[in-house]
Amino acid sequence: MRRMKLLLILSGLMWASMSPAQNTGSEGDAAAYQAAMDENSKLQEELQTLTDLKASLSETVKGQEDQLKSLDASMKAEAKSLAKRQGQGSQNLVAELKARQQALQTSIDSYQGKMAELMEQNIKLEQSLASMRQRLENLDRVRDDVDRNFIETHQKSLDQAFSAMKMQELETIQGDCGKYASDGKIQAFAKRLEAVIGMKRAYDNAVKTVGQRYDAAAVERALSALPTSGMSSVQADEVAKVRKQLQTFEPGLIAFKELASALSRRRSTISSQRDLDDELDIIMGKGNLKSRIATQVETVPYLKNKYAEYIKALKAAPSQQPAVEKEIMEQ
């Protein structure tokens, strides 16, 4: 009965192990990938069943071998006893010993037949195990190919300049990562992606902050949120630039106000473009203002735009106060 059960289990597993593997389709297709992973899980269970069955079979074989050894020892003892009795001439006892010897030989033949069957089952089990291990190796290669293809395809999106990134694209990739929830490598990539999205948001906020009216609290928040590591070289350069702009915003505003205030005091003496140019030369020559305008005002987007607007308005109407001057002085 036990041997029949082993044979039935073996037959079922042999049939399963020889079934063709599922077609994984495109390496980057999440549905095909999941199908491969499902088959991997199924094969792992079947492999464990076969392993347990082989262990059980090994115990059975050992038991049969021990029984054969016992029978063989009994056979040898009976043979010695028979030889001894034959010499004493006891015909009845000799006949009995011969009968017992024949029964032992029959038992030995039976056990040897069982051993042959068990060894054949063991060979089939080994073949099934080898087939399953091969299929598992193939599935591992499919998973590795999917990992490599997915990561290589999207890595460039994570390394490009923050200014070139599209948040919608990053969020789409993030959604795709969710389709591989059981894959360690892709989930590690997903964590890296999440970090990049956070850095992208911090960068965008900093760029927005230096492009609008000065707000000391907003500038401080933007500065503290900027990343300091984990970036590609082009990203690090961008962050360094916008950090410098944030740090220069207040000094640039002070320099701009200094220029506007000086011109406001001299406005009554300005009636022409020449007067304006003369006053600008005088004002710019004091307190290193010309250099400060170049390095602090014209390097911050908001201040740069307002400065260009200011100079254009002054040239158009040298004796009038430009509206942008009021905007700057109110900050």
Side-chain angles (χ1 to χ4, degrees), residues 2-116:
R2 177 181 177 83
R3 191 167 69 255
M4 179 59 70
K5 183 178 180 180
L6 290 174
L7 286 169
L8 288 173
I9 296 174
L10 177 61
S11 297
L13 291 172
M14 280 287 287
W15 180 86
S17 69
M18 291 186 290
S19 298
Q22 297 180 35
N23 182 11
T24 58
S26 173
E27 290 180 348
D29 184 76
Y33 175 83
Q34 189 57 50
M37 294 306 98
D38 289 343
E39 183 178 5
N40 184 296
S41 179
K42 179 182 177 183
L43 284 177
Q44 290 286 1
E45 292 178 2
E46 292 180 356
L47 183 61
Q48 185 59 51
T49 300
L50 276 178
T51 302
D52 293 343
L53 182 58
K54 189 174 186 301
S56 176
L57 184 59
S58 296
E59 290 180 5
T60 303
V61 169
K62 186 177 184 302
Q64 296 291 329
E65 289 175 341
D66 290 343
Q67 189 65 34
L68 275 174
K69 289 179 182 179
S70 177
L71 286 173
D72 187 57
S74 296
M75 187 71 174
K76 290 178 180 178
E78 293 290 349
K80 289 181 180 180
S81 180
L82 179 59
K84 185 177 180 180
R85 295 296 182 183
Q86 283 178 329
Q88 295 174 350
S90 177
Q91 297 300 318
N92 291 335
L93 191 53
V94 169
E96 181 183 344
L97 288 174
K98 283 185 176 181
R100 288 170 61 185
Q101 188 180 41
Q102 182 60 45
L104 285 172
Q105 185 61 55
T106 300
S107 295
I108 289 174
D109 292 343
S110 174
Y111 273 103
Q112 286 177 336
K114 292 177 183 178
M115 283 290 292

Side-chain angles (χ1 to χ4, degrees), residues 1 56 77 120 128 136 150 155 175 216 237 297 307:
M1 184 65 182
S56 176
E120 183 178 355
S128 296
L136 286 171
F150 184 92
Q155 185 63 51
D237 289 343
V297 173
Y307 180 71

Side-chain angles (χ1 to χ4, degrees), residues 5 17 27 30 42 58 63 121 145 151 162 208 219 224 230 248 253 287 294:
K5 183 178 180 180
S17 69
E27 290 180 348
K42 179 182 177 183
S58 296
Q121 290 176 34
D145 287 344
I151 293 171
F162 289 130
K208 179 181 178 182
V219 168
S224 63
T248 307
L253 180 61

Side-chain angles (χ1 to χ4, degrees), residues 179-195:
K179 299 174 183 177
Y180 303 89
S182 63
D183 189 282
K185 291 182 180 178
I186 292 182
Q187 288 313 300
F189 177 83
K191 288 183 179 180
R192 162 68 179 155
L193 172 60
E194 184 177 2

Side-chain angles (χ1 to χ4, degrees), residues 297-309:
V297 173
E298 295 197 88
T299 57
V300 178
Y302 170 79
L303 296 178
K304 179 180 180 180
N305 291 336
K306 294 302 177 181
Y307 180 71
E309 182 181 341

Side-chain angles (χ1 to χ4, degrees), residues 133-144:
R133 290 190 183 104
Q134 183 60 53
R135 290 176 65 191
L136 286 171
E137 288 178 7
N138 292 340
L139 288 174
D140 285 341
R141 282 195 290 271
V142 169
R143 181 180 59 194
D144 290 342

Side-chain angles (χ1 to χ4, degrees), residues 269-277 314 318-319:
T269 66
I270 300 173
S271 59
S272 65
Q273 179 67 50
R274 182 174 180 177
D275 291 340
L276 174 65
D277 291 340
L314 285 174
S319 63

